[in-house]
Amino acid sequence: KQEVTQIPAALSVPEGENLVLNCSFTDSAIYNLQWFRQDPGKGLTSLLLIQSSQREQTSGRLNASLDKSSGRSTLYIAASQPGDSATYLCAVITSGSRLTFGEGTQLTVNP
Amino acid sequence: NAGVMQNPRHLVRRRGQEARLRCSPMKGHSHVYWYRQLPEEGLKFMVYLQKENIIDESGMPKERFSAEFPKEGPSILRIQQVVRGDSAAYFCASSPRSGEGGGYTFGSGTRLTVV
């Protein structure tokens, strides 16, 4: 059974810091890994999708890496801003097309 | 190009009533997934549907819950005889093909409150 763990559960940083969010998964037989952002009371916004054959993806200030063999992914946020405050969710896709989510990292960026 | 549309955004039901949640996938997407987020918990898979077919319902509670995705119209998640424990946010996602090959787009969710 696939399990996804995100560390840390919560993170508070001053504006401008670079930060790393971690995600680990127990079954390396994944098809894709997707990072999402969820604002309080809102839906999920897709940030980055990494195919299993890829090592990383970048979008603006965000960079996500994937190491399938070790069951790990990291989301790097450069020059953090207060608007980045949200819960960040990591999810993996294994056979059967279902997403398995981690519990999320709640990020607060203080002005 | 509208995203995944869910309605209603908020739904209040009394115990014992029925709740119907609707999801219209993105244009061109034929795969629909429902997830539930209980208070203070992570998102859990419920069901995966294609047009007129249930592909995987292994995450659905055995009783009172059903889902459909008819040939015409939105996907419907139906909860009969709701109980307080059904209060949660229900999210729908769609993908253009099997999620094994592509990413998901999520709707804004329906927040169900059972009183």
Side-chain angles (χ1 to χ4, degrees):
Chain A
K1 179 188 171 188
Q2 179 73 271
E3 293 184 2
V4 179
T5 303
Q6 291 188 244
I7 294 172
L11 183 62
S12 181
V13 300
E15 182 176 2
E17 270 204 11
N18 302 324
L19 53 100
V20 175
L21 308 182
N22 297 292
C23 171
S24 61
F25 44 95
T26 55
D27 184 353
S28 62
I30 66 169
Y31 288 95
N32 303 312
L33 184 144
Q34 198 164 357
W35 282 93
F36 296 90
R37 165 188 175 139
Q38 185 176 27
D39 293 278
K42 302 287 178 62
L44 279 70
T45 301
S46 179
L47 298 174
L48 291 164
L49 169 69
I50 310 178
Q51 306 279 355
S52 62
S53 58
Q54 297 174 323
R55 300 283 291 184
E56 65 177 337
Q57 281 286 340
T58 298
S59 175
R61 293 183 294 109
L62 305 179
N63 175 276
S65 67
L66 173 63
D67 184 341
K68 236 180 88 168
S69 60
S70 67
R72 293 180 188 174
S73 176
T74 60
L75 178 66
Y76 176 82
I77 303 177
S80 57
Q81 303 171 358
D84 294 332
S85 298
T87 297
Y88 290 79
L89 297 165
C90 166
V92 297
I93 301 169
T94 50
S95 62
S97 295
R98 64 165 62 189
L99 277 167
T100 302
F101 282 88
E103 297 286 322
T105 293
Q106 187 173 350
L107 173 66
T108 303
V109 181
N110 302 300
Chain B
N1 183 18
V4 177
M5 304 302 291
Q6 290 189 249
N7 65 82
R9 293 290 300 275
H10 299 275
L11 182 61
V12 179
R13 284 287 178 265
R14 295 186 183 280
R15 280 179 296 170
Q17 290 185 318
E18 179 180 285
R20 279 182 176 245
L21 288 61
R22 295 176 202 79
C23 169
S24 295
M26 279 189 72
K27 188 176 181 180
H29 288 195
S30 60
H31 300 253
V32 166
Y33 315 81
W34 286 92
Y35 288 79
R36 178 167 67 173
Q37 188 173 38
L38 292 164
E40 307 302 325
E41 292 190 20
L43 282 130
K44 305 293 185 192
F45 168 81
M46 298 183 75
V47 62
Y48 164 31
L49 310 105
Q50 292 180 34
K51 284 287 187 182
E52 300 185 276
N53 288 305
I54 297 174
I55 308 302
D56 180 359
E57 57 180 347
S58 58
M60 290 273 273
K62 293 286 187 285
E63 298 176 347
R64 302 187 297 107
F65 285 72
S66 63
E68 63 177 5
F69 189 16
K71 187 176 180 182
E72 301 290 339
S75 175
I76 305 288
L77 179 66
R78 183 182 177 206
I79 311 171
Q80 296 178 289
Q81 299 175 327
V82 296
V83 301
R84 288 234 170 96
D86 297 332
S87 295
Y90 292 82
F91 291 96
C92 171
S94 71
S95 66
R97 52 192 181 281
S98 167
E100 298 169 1
Y104 292 74
T105 301
F106 276 79
S108 298
T110 292
R111 278 147 187 87
L112 172 65
T113 303
V114 180
V115 297

